[in-house]
Amino acid sequence: MSYPTRVKLVDVGPRDGLQNEKQPVPAAVKIELVHRLQAAGLKEIEVTSFVSPKWVPQMGDNAEVMAGIERRADVRYSVLTPNMKGFEAAVLSRPDEIVVFGAASEAFSQKNINCSIAESIERFAPVVAAARAAGIHVRGAMSCTVGCPYEGEIAPERVAYLAGLMKGIGVQHIGVADTIGVGTPIKVRKAIEATLQHFDLNDVSGHFHDTYGQALSNTLAALAMGVWQFDTSVAGLGGCPYAKGATGNVATEDVVYMLHGMGIDTGIDLDQLIDAGQFISDHLGRPTQSRVAKAILAKRASSAACEAV
Ligand SMILES: CC(C)(COP(=O)([O-])OP(=O)([O-])OC[C@H]1O[C@@H](n2cnc3c(N)ncnc32)[C@H](O)[C@@H]1OP(=O)([O-])[O-])[C@@H](O)C(=O)NCCC(=O)NCCSC(=O)C[C@@](C)(O)CC(=O)[O-]
């Protein structure tokens, strides 16, 4: 079996990771997190979302966070935009990429963005057209591609249907999301195969939450299909406010460790990434969710103790 030799990771920690935090996380902390991620070698960072602050209060500082980032020319900064109102606000902060986010499940679409799948596409179409006219790259995210918290299992045909709608309105890249982390490798493979009916392999990424501890296996299954782009979240932060009980994305540290162990290049410095994860975990006052970070931090602590004696 051959795997890609290079993988691109998009760290979604500042957005997906923090959107569900109950206590406000200061904009300065979010900005520092972005700086640490880019210093660690991340080339794409999902910074924030331009959604209703009544729905997701934690992202209400979107413009402030975007304005505070010291940008690097080789890093792409992306933001979520559910409608024209969000796009018009987002465009002022000069994102490199916008993300329209739909769902393969009708119930999740209603809970998350207050409209049906068909209505969501009607809302996204002018956003995609405006972004492309402005030279901004457009990514689509498809939630609940294997399971939905309200409808249960989702058939691959529904994923193919949504992928076709996204392609039809001009979305350039599509993310296949296991929002609640219920997927297992064969189900994830089927969701990706359904997506590949409409998108080229180079325009497809995986976005796996780790609720059931399957996210690394699912990442490996996608890699075996040739998928080379994945969303991950530093320290395993996160969860969607409209998917109760779902945990964060697979930790960036865990994916980097696995990929480097397989000889796959990511361009990411694992030690600096672990420091970034420690920074945000310290701020949130809870341990990292990354197994790799826990192991390496424990090793660092025991080496420091040995040196001290
Ligand atoms: C989409 C809406 C806005 C529809 O919400 P709505 O209530 O249907 O919208 P509306 O057009 O009727 O407007 C209602 C109010 O919201 C305002 N409004 C309207 N749009 C905006 C906007 N863009 N920015 C700021 N304000 C906005 C609008 O101005 C109005 O304000 P009011 O007159 O009441 O004061 C709402 O449902 C919403 O904000 N949902 C966000 C949900 C969300 O962010 N979920 C998490 C992200 S998705 C995710 O995490 C999954 C993903 C991507 O990671 C992949 C995966 O794992 O599945």
Short mmCIF file of all heavy atoms in Angstrom, two decimals, residues 183 185 208-223 230 232 249-259 262 291-292:
data_model
loop_
_atom_site.label_atom_id
_atom_site.label_comp_id
_atom_site.label_asym_id
_atom_site.label_seq_id
_atom_site.Cartn_x
_atom_site.Cartn_y
_atom_site.Cartn_z
N GLY A 183 -17.58 7.63 13.19
CA GLY A 183 -17.15 6.88 12.00
C GLY A 183 -16.10 5.83 12.32
O GLY A 183 -15.35 5.93 13.30
N PRO A 185 -13.30 3.12 9.89
CA PRO A 185 -12.61 3.28 8.61
C PRO A 185 -13.44 2.98 7.36
O PRO A 185 -13.39 3.72 6.38
CB PRO A 185 -11.41 2.36 8.75
CG PRO A 185 -11.09 2.42 10.21
CD PRO A 185 -12.44 2.45 10.90
N PHE A 208 -11.95 14.75 11.10
CA PHE A 208 -12.46 13.68 11.95
C PHE A 208 -12.41 14.05 13.43
O PHE A 208 -11.33 14.33 13.97
CB PHE A 208 -11.66 12.40 11.70
CG PHE A 208 -11.62 12.00 10.24
CD1 PHE A 208 -10.42 11.69 9.63
CD2 PHE A 208 -12.79 11.96 9.48
CE1 PHE A 208 -10.38 11.34 8.28
CE2 PHE A 208 -12.76 11.62 8.14
CZ PHE A 208 -11.55 11.31 7.53
N HIS A 209 -13.57 14.03 14.04
CA HIS A 209 -13.62 14.21 15.51
C HIS A 209 -13.32 12.85 16.15
O HIS A 209 -13.46 11.80 15.53
CB HIS A 209 -14.98 14.77 15.92
CG HIS A 209 -15.12 16.23 15.55
ND1 HIS A 209 -15.01 17.24 16.47
CD2 HIS A 209 -15.29 16.83 14.35
CE1 HIS A 209 -15.15 18.41 15.85
NE2 HIS A 209 -15.32 18.18 14.56
N ASP A 210 -12.89 12.92 17.42
CA ASP A 210 -12.31 11.71 18.02
C ASP A 210 -13.15 11.16 19.17
O ASP A 210 -12.64 10.47 20.04
CB ASP A 210 -10.88 12.03 18.51
CG ASP A 210 -10.04 10.77 18.65
OD1 ASP A 210 -10.32 9.79 17.93
OD2 ASP A 210 -9.14 10.76 19.50
N THR A 211 -14.44 11.43 19.15
CA THR A 211 -15.31 11.06 20.27
C THR A 211 -15.19 9.58 20.65
O THR A 211 -15.15 9.24 21.82
CB THR A 211 -16.77 11.39 19.90
OG1 THR A 211 -16.80 12.64 19.22
CG2 THR A 211 -17.66 11.45 21.14
N TYR A 212 -15.13 8.72 19.66
CA TYR A 212 -15.06 7.28 19.92
C TYR A 212 -13.63 6.73 19.73
O TYR A 212 -13.43 5.53 19.58
CB TYR A 212 -16.04 6.52 19.02
CG TYR A 212 -17.49 6.69 19.46
CD1 TYR A 212 -18.20 7.86 19.19
CD2 TYR A 212 -18.14 5.69 20.19
CE1 TYR A 212 -19.50 8.03 19.61
CE2 TYR A 212 -19.45 5.85 20.61
CZ TYR A 212 -20.13 7.03 20.33
OH TYR A 212 -21.43 7.20 20.76
N GLY A 213 -12.65 7.63 19.69
CA GLY A 213 -11.25 7.17 19.57
C GLY A 213 -10.90 6.57 18.21
O GLY A 213 -9.94 5.81 18.11
N GLN A 214 -11.68 6.93 17.18
CA GLN A 214 -11.47 6.32 15.86
C GLN A 214 -10.75 7.24 14.88
O GLN A 214 -10.49 6.86 13.74
CB GLN A 214 -12.83 5.95 15.23
CG GLN A 214 -13.66 5.01 16.06
CD GLN A 214 -13.00 3.67 16.25
OE1 GLN A 214 -12.67 2.99 15.28
NE2 GLN A 214 -12.75 3.31 17.51
N ALA A 215 -10.47 8.46 15.32
CA ALA A 215 -10.04 9.46 14.33
C ALA A 215 -8.71 9.14 13.65
O ALA A 215 -8.54 9.39 12.46
CB ALA A 215 -10.00 10.85 14.97
N LEU A 216 -7.76 8.58 14.40
CA LEU A 216 -6.48 8.23 13.75
C LEU A 216 -6.68 7.09 12.76
O LEU A 216 -6.11 7.11 11.66
CB LEU A 216 -5.44 7.81 14.79
CG LEU A 216 -4.60 8.90 15.45
CD1 LEU A 216 -3.57 8.26 16.38
CD2 LEU A 216 -3.91 9.79 14.43
N SER A 217 -7.50 6.11 13.12
CA SER A 217 -7.78 5.00 12.19
C SER A 217 -8.47 5.54 10.95
O SER A 217 -8.18 5.11 9.83
CB SER A 217 -8.71 3.97 12.84
OG SER A 217 -8.30 3.69 14.13
N ASN A 218 -9.38 6.48 11.15
CA ASN A 218 -10.09 7.05 10.00
C ASN A 218 -9.14 7.87 9.12
O ASN A 218 -9.25 7.87 7.89
CB ASN A 218 -11.27 7.89 10.48
CG ASN A 218 -12.32 7.02 11.15
OD1 ASN A 218 -12.39 5.82 10.89
ND2 ASN A 218 -13.14 7.61 12.01
N THR A 219 -8.21 8.55 9.78
CA THR A 219 -7.20 9.32 9.02
C THR A 219 -6.37 8.36 8.17
O THR A 219 -6.11 8.62 6.99
CB THR A 219 -6.29 10.10 10.00
OG1 THR A 219 -7.11 10.93 10.82
CG2 THR A 219 -5.26 10.95 9.27
N LEU A 220 -5.99 7.26 8.77
CA LEU A 220 -5.17 6.27 8.04
C LEU A 220 -5.96 5.70 6.86
O LEU A 220 -5.42 5.51 5.76
CB LEU A 220 -4.75 5.16 9.01
CG LEU A 220 -3.63 4.25 8.57
CD1 LEU A 220 -2.36 5.02 8.27
CD2 LEU A 220 -3.35 3.20 9.65
N ALA A 221 -7.24 5.43 7.08
CA ALA A 221 -8.08 4.90 5.98
C ALA A 221 -8.15 5.90 4.84
O ALA A 221 -8.07 5.53 3.66
CB ALA A 221 -9.49 4.59 6.51
N ALA A 222 -8.28 7.19 5.18
CA ALA A 222 -8.34 8.23 4.14
C ALA A 222 -6.99 8.36 3.43
O ALA A 222 -6.93 8.49 2.20
CB ALA A 222 -8.76 9.56 4.76
N LEU A 223 -5.91 8.28 4.21
CA LEU A 223 -4.56 8.34 3.62
C LEU A 223 -4.38 7.22 2.61
O LEU A 223 -3.80 7.43 1.54
CB LEU A 223 -3.51 8.14 4.71
CG LEU A 223 -2.98 9.32 5.49
CD1 LEU A 223 -2.05 8.80 6.59
CD2 LEU A 223 -2.24 10.31 4.59
N PHE A 230 -5.91 17.22 5.78
CA PHE A 230 -6.74 16.91 6.94
C PHE A 230 -6.87 18.13 7.84
O PHE A 230 -5.90 18.89 8.00
CB PHE A 230 -6.12 15.77 7.77
CG PHE A 230 -6.05 14.46 7.01
CD1 PHE A 230 -4.91 14.14 6.28
CD2 PHE A 230 -7.13 13.60 6.99
CE1 PHE A 230 -4.85 12.97 5.54
CE2 PHE A 230 -7.08 12.42 6.25
CZ PHE A 230 -5.93 12.10 5.52
N THR A 232 -7.19 19.24 11.64
CA THR A 232 -6.88 18.69 12.96
C THR A 232 -6.91 19.86 13.94
O THR A 232 -6.93 21.02 13.53
CB THR A 232 -5.47 18.06 12.96
OG1 THR A 232 -4.52 19.09 12.60
CG2 THR A 232 -5.36 16.91 11.97
N ASN A 249 -11.67 17.67 17.49
CA ASN A 249 -11.05 16.99 16.35
C ASN A 249 -9.89 16.16 16.86
O ASN A 249 -9.37 16.38 17.93
CB ASN A 249 -10.46 18.02 15.38
CG ASN A 249 -11.53 18.83 14.72
OD1 ASN A 249 -12.05 19.75 15.30
ND2 ASN A 249 -11.87 18.47 13.50
N VAL A 250 -9.46 15.25 16.00
CA VAL A 250 -8.23 14.53 16.30
C VAL A 250 -7.13 15.57 16.57
O VAL A 250 -7.08 16.62 15.92
CB VAL A 250 -7.87 13.60 15.12
CG1 VAL A 250 -7.57 14.36 13.85
CG2 VAL A 250 -6.72 12.68 15.48
N ALA A 251 -6.30 15.29 17.58
CA ALA A 251 -5.27 16.25 17.95
C ALA A 251 -4.21 16.36 16.85
O ALA A 251 -3.74 15.33 16.33
CB ALA A 251 -4.60 15.83 19.26
N THR A 252 -3.84 17.58 16.53
CA THR A 252 -2.80 17.78 15.50
C THR A 252 -1.52 17.03 15.90
O THR A 252 -0.88 16.40 15.05
CB THR A 252 -2.50 19.29 15.36
OG1 THR A 252 -3.74 19.99 15.24
CG2 THR A 252 -1.63 19.58 14.15
N GLU A 253 -1.18 17.08 17.18
CA GLU A 253 0.06 16.43 17.65
C GLU A 253 0.03 14.93 17.34
O GLU A 253 1.05 14.35 16.95
CB GLU A 253 0.22 16.61 19.17
CG GLU A 253 0.36 18.05 19.65
CD GLU A 253 -0.99 18.71 19.97
OE1 GLU A 253 -1.97 18.47 19.25
OE2 GLU A 253 -1.04 19.49 20.93
N ASP A 254 -1.14 14.29 17.54
CA ASP A 254 -1.24 12.84 17.34
C ASP A 254 -1.10 12.49 15.86
O ASP A 254 -0.45 11.50 15.50
CB ASP A 254 -2.58 12.32 17.88
CG ASP A 254 -2.68 12.48 19.40
OD1 ASP A 254 -1.73 13.01 20.01
OD2 ASP A 254 -3.71 12.09 19.97
N VAL A 255 -1.70 13.33 15.01
CA VAL A 255 -1.60 13.07 13.56
C VAL A 255 -0.16 13.31 13.09
O VAL A 255 0.39 12.51 12.33
CB VAL A 255 -2.61 13.95 12.79
CG1 VAL A 255 -2.44 13.76 11.29
CG2 VAL A 255 -4.04 13.59 13.20
N VAL A 256 0.46 14.37 13.57
CA VAL A 256 1.84 14.66 13.17
C VAL A 256 2.76 13.50 13.59
O VAL A 256 3.59 13.04 12.81
CB VAL A 256 2.33 16.01 13.77
CG1 VAL A 256 3.83 16.17 13.63
CG2 VAL A 256 1.60 17.16 13.10
N TYR A 257 2.58 13.03 14.80
CA TYR A 257 3.42 11.93 15.29
C TYR A 257 3.23 10.70 14.40
O TYR A 257 4.20 10.05 13.98
CB TYR A 257 3.05 11.60 16.73
CG TYR A 257 3.86 10.47 17.32
CD1 TYR A 257 5.11 10.68 17.87
CD2 TYR A 257 3.35 9.17 17.30
CE1 TYR A 257 5.86 9.64 18.39
CE2 TYR A 257 4.09 8.11 17.82
CZ TYR A 257 5.34 8.36 18.36
OH TYR A 257 6.09 7.32 18.87
N MET A 258 1.99 10.37 14.08
CA MET A 258 1.72 9.20 13.23
C MET A 258 2.35 9.38 11.85
O MET A 258 3.03 8.48 11.35
CB MET A 258 0.21 8.97 13.09
CG MET A 258 -0.13 7.77 12.21
SD MET A 258 -1.90 7.52 12.00
CE MET A 258 -2.26 8.67 10.69
N LEU A 259 2.14 10.56 11.26
CA LEU A 259 2.64 10.79 9.90
C LEU A 259 4.17 10.75 9.87
O LEU A 259 4.76 10.10 9.01
CB LEU A 259 2.13 12.12 9.36
CG LEU A 259 0.60 12.19 9.14
CD1 LEU A 259 0.20 13.62 8.79
CD2 LEU A 259 0.13 11.22 8.07
N MET A 262 5.51 7.45 9.91
CA MET A 262 5.33 6.72 8.65
C MET A 262 6.25 7.28 7.56
O MET A 262 6.15 6.88 6.41
CB MET A 262 3.88 6.86 8.17
CG MET A 262 2.86 6.20 9.08
SD MET A 262 1.16 6.70 8.63
CE MET A 262 0.95 5.83 7.07
N ARG A 291 -2.77 12.45 23.12
CA ARG A 291 -2.02 11.37 23.78
C ARG A 291 -0.52 11.57 23.57
O ARG A 291 0.29 11.32 24.46
CB ARG A 291 -2.44 10.01 23.20
CG ARG A 291 -3.91 9.67 23.39
CD ARG A 291 -4.20 9.25 24.81
NE ARG A 291 -3.65 7.94 25.10
CZ ARG A 291 -4.30 6.79 24.92
NH1 ARG A 291 -5.53 6.80 24.49
NH2 ARG A 291 -3.74 5.64 25.21
N VAL A 292 -0.16 12.00 22.37
CA VAL A 292 1.26 12.21 22.06
C VAL A 292 1.82 13.33 22.93
O VAL A 292 2.90 13.22 23.51
CB VAL A 292 1.43 12.51 20.56
CG1 VAL A 292 2.80 13.08 20.25
CG2 VAL A 292 1.18 11.24 19.74
#
